[in-house]
Amino acid sequence: APGWRADLEYSEQSDRFFLEEFFEKEFQEGKAQETYAYLRHRNGNLGATLFANLRRNEFQNQNEYLPQATFTFLAEPVWNTGVYYTNFTQLANVRSRYDDQLDLDSERIWRFDTYHELSLPIDLAIAQLAPFAAVRYTGFEEDLARDGGVDRVITTGGVRLFTQLHRAYDTEWDLGGLRGLRHLVSLDARYTNNLDTTQDHEELFAFDAVDALDHFEELSVELRQRFQTRKAGSPDESFEFLTLGLEAEYYPDERRDVRSRNDQNFLYPMNWIPVAPISTSGSFQRRNWSNLYFDLAFTPDAPFSVRWDMEFNQYGEGVQISHTYLDFRPSKAFALTFSHNYVDGVTDAVGFGVQWQATEKWRIQWDEQYDFDRSEFLESRLA
């Protein structure tokens, strides 16, 4: 129904090596195996979710939420003051489950978490500036020592800056499908700082990112370039045939914030880029910048398209992740796909696919994927 969504998923495996042995591609690239029920309702800027999951596979390390209820209220104007209010509130009964062979006891607590933010957008001619302040209260049923309930308050402040410049060119190129050209450049920067916290996260159970919150500071930057042109036969409609993006984060206090795994690094109001350890040693580098994230999408009004993204470590590690996809569609019935997926220390695989819609009812599909790191085919499929 409009505004409603329900998901159900069940996963039970006969043994811990089943996927790795018989479905290698799913083991390496697929989503985590889960058993859960999820219900969501959304109405404009209001949303609510109800989530519950159970661990069915005895060899998995997993958190169970029995249940987790979340309410969200995004950027609601406060009367006519120009101030906007955002709220995230969650109640969860969370339990940790470990691989049965580890013989570790499960832990379980109730947790109430609520985040409240006020922001004030200010127009500065060619840019918009939006300072914001927030407070987050989290109540825990017990602390790590089981000495009773714990209350934690975190205060946060920061500012967002957004600007977009554009210019139009009278450019025509029939072969490339250009019917006029508009170039848009946008810069989105955000500084966020958890100024104070009343509780050290090391004294709490570490179930998920909410429990790991503490002092943290970052500056995130996204630079995006978009190129648009008019659709063939529809001069009033435009589409983006090329987009280029660059994203990164800067951490002023590298000794505190990036020398270990920090789940908070991708939990709102922080940005989404986590800092990973060195692939060979597992240790964390001393660094002020995150990896650099690049992405490209070339989708002209032509029978081909290119998509690419890359994660680059500028502190001597080089390219750590990259994905490339080339699609060719010479006709509505025939398609070719070439791909390359690279994850440092995990996989270096090329793929090839052919799809032919021979008739209205019959489709022929052939897919191959070969991993150079393992010197074997991950997938060979003819359907």
Side-chain angles (χ1 to χ4, degrees):
W4 288 93
R5 172 175 173 170
D7 287 342
L8 294 171
E9 185 168 322
Y10 182 85
S11 169
E12 187 164 2
Q13 297 173 45
S14 57
D15 65 76
R16 67 179 64 228
F17 302 112
F18 177 73
L19 282 184
E20 185 177 6
E21 180 71 20
F22 297 103
F23 295 92
E24 295 172 277
K25 183 179 179 182
E26 184 172 351
F27 175 75
Q28 290 193 355
E29 302 178 16
K31 67 181 294 295
Q33 300 295 308
E34 297 178 280
T35 296
Y36 69 84
Y38 172 82
L39 180 66
R40 184 198 74 187
H41 178 63
R42 185 177 66 187
N43 182 13
N45 61 344
L46 286 172
T49 64
L50 183 63
F51 174 78
N53 69 329
L54 288 170
R55 192 201 68 164
R56 297 296 301 160
N57 301 312
E58 62 184 20
F59 49 85
Q60 285 184 291
N61 297 317
Q62 197 171 74
N63 286 331
E64 292 181 331
Y65 296 91
L66 304 165
Q68 180 190 79
T70 305
F71 174 77
T72 304
F73 200 25
L74 296 176
E76 177 68 14
V78 181
W79 297 294
N80 295 318
T81 61
V83 176
Y84 289 82
Y85 170 69
T86 291
N87 167 250
F88 299 97
T89 297
Q90 183 181 91
L91 177 66
N93 180 12
V94 55
R95 177 172 66 179
S96 59
R97 298 290 301 278
Y98 303 102
D99 185 337
D100 286 1
Q101 289 189 2
L102 298 177
D103 195 27
L104 295 174
D105 293 332
S106 295
E107 302 289 352
R108 181 172 180 167
I109 66 166
W110 281 92
R111 183 184 67 203
F112 176 74
D113 181 54
T114 183
Y115 173 88
H116 304 267
E117 176 186 295
L118 294 174
S119 63
L120 178 62
I122 303 170
D123 284 325
L124 302 175
I126 65 171
Q128 185 181 75
L129 190 71
F132 66 94
V135 61
R136 185 173 202 139
Y137 167 79
T138 311
F140 302 89
E141 181 184 12
E142 292 181 304
D143 63 6
L144 196 58
R146 296 290 189 184
D147 290 334
V150 176
D151 298 311
R152 182 188 67 193
V153 177
I154 297 176
T155 54
T156 304
V159 63
R160 303 183 181 105
L161 174 70
F162 178 80
T163 185
Q164 180 170 275
L165 307 174
H166 64 90
R167 182 176 178 181
Y169 301 88
D170 187 15
T171 303
E172 303 290 335
W173 183 30
D174 293 337
L175 182 62
L178 285 181
R179 290 167 286 273
L181 174 64
R182 180 166 56 192
H183 181 199
L184 299 97
V185 180
S186 61
L187 174 65
D188 192 352
R190 181 172 62 190
Y191 171 75
T192 309
N193 192 347
N194 282 352
L195 301 168
D196 187 42
T197 177
T198 60
Q199 184 69 38
D200 190 336
H201 75 278
E202 294 180 353
E203 299 177 8
L204 304 170
F205 286 105
F207 292 106
D208 53 33
V210 173
D211 306 311
L213 293 176
D214 210 324
H215 292 281
F216 193 79
E217 183 181 12
E218 73 171 19
L219 171 67
S220 62
V221 181
E222 176 184 355
L223 178 65
R224 186 157 299 278
Q225 301 196 57
R226 301 153 55 199
F227 298 85
Q228 300 177 338
T229 191
R230 289 187 292 268
K231 288 186 176 181
S234 303
D236 294 332
E237 292 186 58
S238 63
F239 71 97
E240 292 184 6
F241 71 92
L242 176 63
T243 62
L244 299 165
L246 168 62
E247 296 173 279
E249 292 181 6
Y250 176 76
Y251 312 104
D253 192 343
E254 87 285 353
R255 287 183 176 271
R256 181 191 66 194
D257 293 336
V258 297
R259 300 306 300 274
S260 62
R261 173 176 170 81
N262 198 325
D263 291 338
Q264 178 181 242
N265 207 2
F266 51 89
L267 188 69
Y268 189 88
M270 303 300 169
N271 204 27
W272 60 272
I273 299 179
V275 174
I278 301 173
S279 58
T280 54
S281 65
S283 60
F284 286 79
Q285 295 171 293
R286 181 174 177 178
R287 56 194 296 183
N288 286 108
W289 285 94
S290 71
N291 288 357
L292 303 179
Y293 283 74
F294 300 89
D295 65 85
L296 176 148
F298 182 47
T299 55
D301 188 9
F304 67 91
S305 63
V306 178
R307 291 171 291 130
W308 168 79
D309 62 79
M310 182 182 73
E311 181 180 338
F312 183 81
N313 183 315
Q314 65 274 34
Y315 293 90
E317 292 286 290
V319 176
Q320 293 194 294
I321 297 176
S322 71
H323 305 96
T324 306
Y325 301 93
L326 287 80
D327 299 307
F328 297 90
R329 191 174 289 276
S331 69
K332 291 183 179 180
F334 191 76
L336 288 170
T337 301
F338 300 92
S339 65
H340 177 247
N341 293 288
Y342 173 78
V343 179
D344 187 28
V346 177
T347 186
D348 183 6
V350 294
F352 168 76
V354 181
Q355 182 174 298
W356 177 34
Q357 191 71 40
T359 69
E360 183 179 346
K361 294 185 177 180
W362 288 92
R363 181 178 73 242
I364 298 174
Q365 186 169 338
W366 174 32
D367 295 294
E368 297 283 350
Q369 189 175 36
Y370 182 81
D371 192 323
F372 289 101
D373 277 356
R374 303 176 64 174
S375 299
E376 63 183 19
F377 282 92
L378 297 179
E379 179 184 46
S380 295
R381 180 173 179 264
L382 180 63

